[in-house]
Amino acid sequence: MILVSGATGGIGGEVCRLLHEAKVQFRAMCRKPEQVERFKKDGIEAVLGDFDRPETLADAMQGCDRLFLITPPTPDQVDQETAAIDAAKRAGVARIVKISASDGNVRSTVPWAKSHALIDHHLRDAGIGWTILKPTAFMQNFFWFKDPIAKGFLPQIAGKGSVSWVDTRDVARVAARVLIEEGHNHATYFLTGPETLDMKEAASRLSQVTKRKVRYLDVPNPIFKLILRLTGNSRWMANGLIAQFSDVVAGHHDIDPTFEIERLTGVAPKSFTAFVRDHRDEFVHSN
């Protein structure tokens, strides 16, 4: 039995869909009773569990031998995930498949990059089986800028820095595969897209697919922070994203494609052009 955390999120929800489609026995962990009911209506086993309340995890994990571990980046991420790892060990979970980050580093100024590094160290030392997935930046992050993109510009602070952007659906495909299969214990996989793009090229791809001119604007940090805040990001998240894209400028995210997604799943990862094509309407129609 697999327990899937983050079941109502983008990656976790896709993992649930893939496991359900493959007829694999799993349980979706949710924070709210109405979320549990929605899964049950779809014929999926679901249970209440909350990383902010570790006392709820024992019941959620009962009878599970594998855990898919993912939490959104927050100031509490280290406490949440280390508590989950400890609870999984007590519950007899044999292996945890964890979503980490390609830029994980205990000395990083990017808060979630440091958090993931600390959590990864804890997991490796916990005396439990593990598989760590380290994706690069998500293509879905461009949704933060869909309104300005629809108006013809892509605001960023990444300079000429480039990233091998990865689609979260591909990350979920890998997660589902390694959760189902044996042979991935104590493995770390770096997950990238098929190519490395800077923001100028990303804007060009957006223009090609939407049939509208999209210009990359390398804006000052305060303007970028304002845009992030106006799109619903907290001050902590906005400051972290500024630090992260400063890392992009410094070349810390400019890693070559690893082709691990195709090797592990047999299917090549989506290109940025394919991602934009799949979500074209969201980049064309602004609020």
Side-chain angles (χ1 to χ4, degrees):
M1 171 70 81
I2 300 168
L3 179 66
V4 178
S5 69
T8 59
I11 295 177
E14 182 68 3
V15 169
C16 288
R17 187 189 70 79
L18 292 167
L19 294 177
H20 187 56
E21 188 176 82
K23 299 184 178 355
V24 174
Q25 191 176 23
F26 74 97
R27 182 183 299 154
M29 190 174 86
C30 310
R31 295 179 62 189
K32 299 177 181 179
E34 56 268 30
Q35 295 168 338
V36 171
E37 290 307 312
R38 281 199 295 270
F39 276 107
K40 289 182 176 179
K41 285 180 181 178
D42 292 332
I44 295 172
E45 183 177 346
V47 65
L48 285 172
D50 189 340
F51 288 137
D52 286 329
R53 295 187 294 130
E55 68 276 8
T56 67
L57 300 180
D59 286 343
M61 294 176 179
Q62 187 174 12
C64 295
D65 60 348
R66 284 154 290 169
L67 167 65
F68 176 63
L69 179 58
I70 183 171
T71 61
T74 69
D76 300 321
Q77 191 170 24
V78 174
D79 290 340
Q80 289 175 333
E81 294 202 20
T82 54
I85 292 165
D86 294 344
K89 184 178 180 180
R90 290 192 299 270
V93 172
R95 182 163 61 95
I96 294 175
V97 175
K98 171 186 157 33
I99 297 293
S100 181
S102 63
D103 57 343
N105 188 320
V106 293
R107 296 181 180 177
S108 178
T109 58
V110 181
W112 44 88
K114 181 176 181 178
S115 293
H116 278 302
L118 293 170
I119 299 161
D120 291 352
H121 284 310
H122 184 78
L123 177 56
R124 292 188 184 104
D125 292 339
I128 190 172
W130 52 267
T131 307
I132 296 175
L133 307 181
K134 298 175 78 70
T136 51
F138 299 139
M139 294 179 187
Q140 280 73 4
N141 292 350
F142 280 83
F143 290 147
W144 289 331
F145 311 109
K146 61 184 180 180
D147 288 344
I149 288 170
K151 293 179 173 67
F153 61 96
L154 170 61
Q156 254 293 348
I157 57 168
K160 296 179 180 180
S162 57
V163 178
S164 186
W165 300 91
V166 65
D167 194 307
T168 59
R169 293 170 293 182
D170 289 322
V171 176
R173 282 196 300 113
V174 172
R177 180 62 62 92
V178 301
L179 281 162
I180 294 169
E181 292 181 345
E182 300 298 329
H184 300 285
N185 196 28
H186 293 176
T188 300
Y189 299 128
F190 284 81
L191 307 180
T192 74
E195 58 193 340
T196 301
L197 302 177
D198 60 19
M199 288 295 173
K200 185 176 181 180
E201 180 60 26
S204 175
R205 302 287 182 90
L206 285 159
S207 298
Q208 292 167 19
V209 175
T210 63
K211 307 299 184 187
R212 298 179 178 186
K213 180 63 178 176
V214 178
R215 292 184 302 126
Y216 166 43
L217 297 182
D218 195 13
V219 300
N221 284 11
I223 299 298
F224 187 62
K225 183 175 181 178
L226 178 61
I227 292 169
L228 291 169
R229 295 287 282 140
L230 290 174
T231 52
N233 290 282
S234 68
R235 184 175 287 104
W236 178 87
M237 177 64 79
N239 289 336
L241 287 168
I242 288 171
Q244 186 168 53
F245 284 107
S246 296
D247 266 10
V248 170
V249 173
H252 296 164
H253 288 255
D254 193 11
I255 64 176
D256 292 331
T258 63
F259 305 102
E260 288 284 67
I261 290 172
E262 184 170 8
R263 184 181 71 81
L264 292 163
T265 69
V267 178
K270 282 183 176 290
S271 68
F272 185 73
T273 299
F275 161 76
V276 178
R277 190 179 297 121
D278 288 347
H279 301 283
R280 182 182 181 276
D281 287 349
E282 294 178 72
F283 293 117
V284 169
H285 303 296
S286 63
N287 292 329

